[in-house]
Amino acid sequence: MVQLTSTDLRDEILALKKERNAVILAHNYQVGPLQDIADYVGDSLGLSYRARETDAEVIAFCGVHFMAETAKIINPEKTVVLPDKDAGCSLEQSCPPEELAAFLRENEEKNYYVIAYINCSAGVKALSDVICTSGNAVKIVESAPTDRPILFVPDQNLGEWVMSKTGREMDLWQGACYVHVEFTRESISRIREAHPDAAVVAHPECTTAVRMLADEVCSTEKMIDFCRNSPAENIIVVTESGMLHRLRKEVPNKNLIAGPTDRCACADCRYMKLNTMEKLYQCLRDLQPEITLPEDVRRRAEAPILRMLELSK
Ligand code: 13P
Ligand code: SF4
């Protein structure tokens, strides 16, 4: 491919976007240039609503596979492209649909109400009663029937957090986000010593030990409001590093500090960071990699997503 300057690349992407009648959706963890060129930047919940509302013919989804797949599930007639087809998610990988199906078969007598965190494959969504995101998990669990046991998949940390907020007992699938479990009590305590007056905001995918140190635990989108409204000047943001780009743009008057892991100063999700401006350009040009899925799986996966969108209005 011819090497374009970043301004030329931006212009080429915008021209292709128009030509294709495309919308560019980007998650809060994407690299800065992708966030800056997107029509909408947000968390999984906001992105699902935007994907549902758009009348564009093509959705270029700058995020990870399960997010683009969710957009396809609710928009079967649209072309959905993901700049890098290998942009996966450790939570999705921790719960293969065959393993969930086998577990449900072995425990048929329990008649589980299955709540799946949106970070899972279409196959897992198709086996679930309702989907949730970190932004609406408490509401979704509160609306679950009380006469059936709940199985929450695949994130045990988000599941524990929701149990503590709602008082509902749930059986938890033992999955985890490989990025958020790298934050430790020690690494957060150390940075707190350097900024004793700082507030701490953490994503619910963090472990209980880390969440206990936080002033607020919330989805990436709600972090914007927390940072804007907190009286603290310094705020330690315990989530993936891409969040800092959006926060620094929207809350420029605060000192926003990346939460460090024991290994590095800030945590990158290797999957989120696979998408680049060059790959976005190529995927709009070639309409590849395209998200496709078998129609029977798509249909079964759509119902619990629509239930979520209805319940979290
Ligand atoms: P949000 O929905 O809070 O943006 O979280 C998505 C995610 O993948 C967190 O790791
Ligand atoms: Fe998945 Fe974690 Fe990356 Fe989010 S940060 S996409 S949960 S691996």
Side-chain angles (χ1 to χ4, degrees):
M1 185 186 152
V2 189
Q3 282 301 315
L4 297 169
T5 66
S6 56
T7 316
D8 288 346
L9 192 52
R10 214 187 128 80
D11 290 348
E12 292 288 336
I13 290 170
L14 292 173
L16 272 174
K17 186 181 90 149
K18 202 164 170 205
E19 198 180 304
R20 297 289 193 199
N21 185 16
V23 65
I24 302 174
L25 303 181
H27 186 263
N28 287 321
Y29 295 163
Q30 291 294 283
V31 291
L34 287 174
Q35 292 195 27
D36 295 342
I37 204 167
D39 296 290
Y40 176 79
V41 186
D43 67 355
S44 309
L45 183 60
L47 289 163
S48 303
Y49 276 114
R50 284 300 163 126
R52 177 126 187 92
E53 287 156 10
T54 184
D55 49 17
E57 286 168 70
V58 173
I59 300 176
F61 210 115
C62 301
V64 289
H65 188 272
F66 76 80
M67 296 178 175
E69 192 173 60
T70 301
K72 180 67 183 176
I73 292 167
I74 55 181
N75 286 293
E77 74 296 347
K78 293 193 196 300
T79 301
V80 179
V81 288
L82 175 68
D84 192 308
K85 67 172 176 29
D86 294 326
C89 170
S90 65
L91 274 169
E92 175 178 351
Q93 287 157 12
S94 70
C95 187
E98 316 75 58
E99 281 184 30
L100 176 59
F103 180 86
L104 291 173
R105 262 196 315 276
E106 282 157 25
N107 292 278
E108 211 174 346
E109 75 293 347
K110 293 206 168 145
N111 189 24
Y112 273 122
Y113 184 76
V114 181
I115 303 182
Y117 185 31
I118 198 164
N119 297 38
C120 64
S121 63
V124 166
K125 289 184 175 79
L127 292 166
S128 305
D129 291 287
V130 68
I131 306 304
C132 74
T133 73
S134 60
N136 63 14
V138 169
K139 200 169 182 183
I140 298 293
V141 170
E142 278 171 346
S143 69
T146 49
D147 57 348
R148 286 171 68 186
I150 299 174
L151 175 66
F152 189 89
V153 304
D155 189 3
Q156 58 181 303
N157 290 302
L158 177 69
E160 277 166 15
W161 176 68
V162 180
M163 286 207 293
S164 73
K165 299 288 281 184
T166 61
R168 289 291 300 263
E169 273 305 310
M170 304 194 293
D171 288 340
L172 305 177
W173 196 266
Q174 297 298 295
C177 162
Y178 92 97
V179 179
H180 285 87
V181 297
E182 280 192 16
F183 298 109
T184 61
R185 196 177 169 75
E186 292 68 36
S187 66
I188 304 305
S189 300
R190 262 199 311 278
I191 188 124
R192 254 195 149 166
E193 275 166 32
H195 305 274
D197 60 341
V200 177
V201 60
H203 197 275
E205 289 171 10
C206 294
T207 62
T208 306
V210 167
R211 290 195 312 271
M212 282 169 68
L213 293 175
D215 298 286
E216 178 70 347
V217 177
C218 59
S219 76
T220 58
E221 196 60 31
K222 291 182 183 167
M223 286 181 182
I224 312 270
D225 284 341
F226 175 79
C227 292
R228 199 175 275 138
N229 300 330
S230 167
E233 287 294 314
N234 299 311
I235 303 175
I236 301 165
V237 182
V238 188
T239 193
E240 207 271 350
S241 61
M243 192 66 219
L244 272 293
H245 179 78
R246 170 121 188 256
L247 279 172
R248 286 185 177 133
K249 259 172 90 169
E250 295 199 22
V251 194
N253 58 329
K254 298 280 168 79
N255 179 30
L256 302 160
I257 306 154
T261 67
D262 288 330
R263 208 173 36 82
C264 63
C266 65
D268 276 349
C269 169
R270 64 172 173 267
Y271 304 110
M272 286 281 181
K273 296 301 187 274
L274 283 174
N275 295 327
T276 61
M277 287 288 274
E278 287 76 9
K279 291 179 194 169
L280 173 60
Y281 167 77
Q282 283 167 15
C283 88
L284 277 169
R285 184 192 61 194
D286 305 339
L287 294 184
Q288 290 289 340
E290 185 185 353
I291 306 291
T292 55
L293 66 171
E295 178 56 18
D296 63 319
V297 177
R298 188 205 68 75
R299 232 178 330 95
R300 282 185 287 122
E302 186 178 28
I305 298 172
L306 297 183
R307 195 164 296 135
M308 168 188 83
L309 295 177
E310 198 52 42
L311 283 170
S312 64
K313 261 187 194 159

